[in-house]
Amino acid sequence: MLLQNNIDIQTANLTLKNERPAVNTDAIGIFDSGVGGLSIAQCIEKQLPNENLLYVADTLHAPYGEKSPQFIQQRVNEIAQWFIERNVKAIVVACNTATVNAIDQLRQTISMPVIGVEPAIKPAANLSKNKKIAILVTKATAENQRFLALVGQYSYNTQVTIQPCPGLVELIEQDKKNTAECKSLLNAYLLPLLAKGVDTIVLGCTHYPLVSDLIKDICGNDVVIMETAQPVTEQLQRQLKLHQLINSNSRLGTKAFYSSMHCSKQQALFSHIWQRPLQLKHYP
Ligand code: DGL
């Protein structure tokens, strides 16, 4: 069911309400369970510099990868409601786990463009020379039927290994990426894939590009690592064009960052990843 302006539709957990028709100067809402979605937001900022961005990290409830589909859907609905109240013109679900678990129900309840993160399985299967690829994901993604169906589409000619990586998101969120613990966790997940002869690895969680340098160190130059920020940005751009919502303002867009676990440590982590000092505000 499509949401018309000023009509409320009761979903399982809350009412999503579109307040007014979007205008092109409205912000784009981007969210993730934490800092992972910044890997997508950075690409959006680079390619669509005039757009105003509103980023929400639901850090208090991370990792989504260890939560139930119902819990994830509830979080997604709540954040979408918050975005709608702030008149965003589009929502980017910058999280693979939230995309596979909640994007279909979200698209049924709101009428604005909702862009999700689809793992690059198709390009990886096409690129792989020996037709052995792997995809690194969270536990909740690995168990999701929508995701398994996507993997199934390529299994006829490509051996696809699904590798859940529990613990990795937590280490990234705690800014422990450069620790022996993080390296040994990555070794534990990646070395068996290399032993299998995998030549292409898809990063199926938006946190993982934040450790792609470590992944490349372990895998070496012969293994291709595939990220999804670029195709997500292109899809966002296509959707904005289609709805005539590209911001025609010539000034640089504003960027605002919110976290449900607001503290100085979080602000330092955000600033470090964003490569500029930023002010982190409290969500909601
Ligand atoms: N960054 C997320 C993803 O793309 C979620 C990680 C988590 O919270 O477990 O899957």
Side-chain angles (χ1 to χ4, degrees):
M1 195 174 4
L2 212 62
L3 184 70
Q4 303 299 322
N5 291 323
N6 302 321
I7 297 175
D8 295 350
I9 291 181
Q10 192 68 41
T11 66
N13 301 304
L14 90 169
T15 302
L16 296 175
K17 185 180 177 187
N18 272 15
E19 292 291 344
R20 60 155 176 71
V23 293
N24 65 12
T25 48
D26 289 341
I28 298 164
I30 306 171
F31 77 93
D32 177 44
S33 63
V35 290
L38 292 175
S39 62
I40 306 278
Q42 275 168 332
C43 189
I44 295 174
E45 191 208 23
K46 208 165 156 200
Q47 261 159 263
L48 301 169
N50 306 331
E51 297 294 344
N52 302 314
L53 307 183
L54 204 52
Y55 185 92
V56 169
D58 194 14
T59 317
L60 193 62
H61 301 99
Y64 280 1
E66 302 295 319
K67 306 290 190 311
S68 70
Q70 293 74 17
F71 181 86
I72 297 166
Q73 284 164 14
Q74 206 179 332
R75 296 307 308 152
V76 169
N77 282 346
E78 192 194 295
I79 295 164
Q81 173 76 72
W82 189 86
F83 278 142
I84 289 166
E85 284 162 13
R86 274 147 196 84
N87 294 321
V88 301
K89 62 182 176 184
I91 294 178
V92 178
V93 183
C95 171
N96 294 75
T97 310
T99 298
V100 293
N101 279 289
I103 202 164
D104 292 338
Q105 55 112 25
L106 185 59
R107 283 184 175 142
Q108 281 165 16
T109 49
I110 59 175
S111 55
M112 72 177 74
V114 178
I115 291 89
V117 189
E118 298 290 342
I121 302 177
K122 185 178 179 180
N126 288 340
L127 200 75
S128 171
K129 292 196 182 93
N130 63 7
K131 299 295 165 206
K132 286 184 185 175
I133 71 169
I135 171 155
L136 310 183
V137 288
T138 65
K139 186 168 160 282
T141 298
E143 291 168 357
N144 179 271
Q145 286 308 318
R146 188 183 190 273
F147 169 72
L148 293 173
L150 182 70
V151 170
Q153 285 176 26
Y154 300 98
S155 302
Y156 69 97
N157 71 348
T158 305
Q159 189 184 316
V160 187
T161 304
I162 299 169
Q163 178 60 60
C165 304
L168 193 51
V169 165
E170 290 91 320
L171 290 176
I172 295 167
E173 285 295 326
Q174 291 159 18
D175 200 13
K176 289 187 178 162
K177 93 168 215 187
N178 291 315
T179 60
E181 194 184 355
C182 189
K183 279 169 203 155
S184 89
L185 197 64
L186 281 171
N187 273 321
Y189 295 141
L190 295 170
L191 295 181
L193 302 177
L194 300 180
K196 268 189 181 180
V198 158
D199 71 356
T200 310
I201 295 180
V202 179
L203 304 186
C205 166
T206 54
H207 277 75
Y208 302 163
L210 301 176
V211 288
S212 63
D213 48 346
L214 301 175
I215 294 174
K216 283 176 193 155
D217 279 352
I218 295 169
C219 295
N221 292 334
D222 294 339
V223 176
V224 178
I225 311 295
M226 303 202 69
E227 303 181 15
T228 42
Q230 182 63 30
V232 172
T233 305
E234 284 166 12
Q235 177 62 3
L236 170 66
Q237 196 165 11
R238 270 194 296 274
Q239 285 293 318
L240 293 179
K241 271 191 190 146
L242 188 71
H243 292 85
Q244 296 174 323
L245 285 174
I246 292 274
N247 194 338
S248 46
N249 206 323
S250 56
R251 281 194 310 270
L252 280 184
T254 58
K255 276 81 201 170
F257 301 86
Y258 291 79
S259 170
S260 56
M261 200 175 76
H262 178 264
C263 63
S264 56
K265 244 180 155 182
Q266 275 286 305
Q267 176 155 311
L269 178 62
F270 267 71
S271 301
H272 177 68
I273 295 170
W274 198 250
Q275 295 171 349
R276 253 167 291 160
L278 57 82
Q279 219 216 321
L280 190 61
K281 298 176 196 162
H282 200 281
Y283 167 87

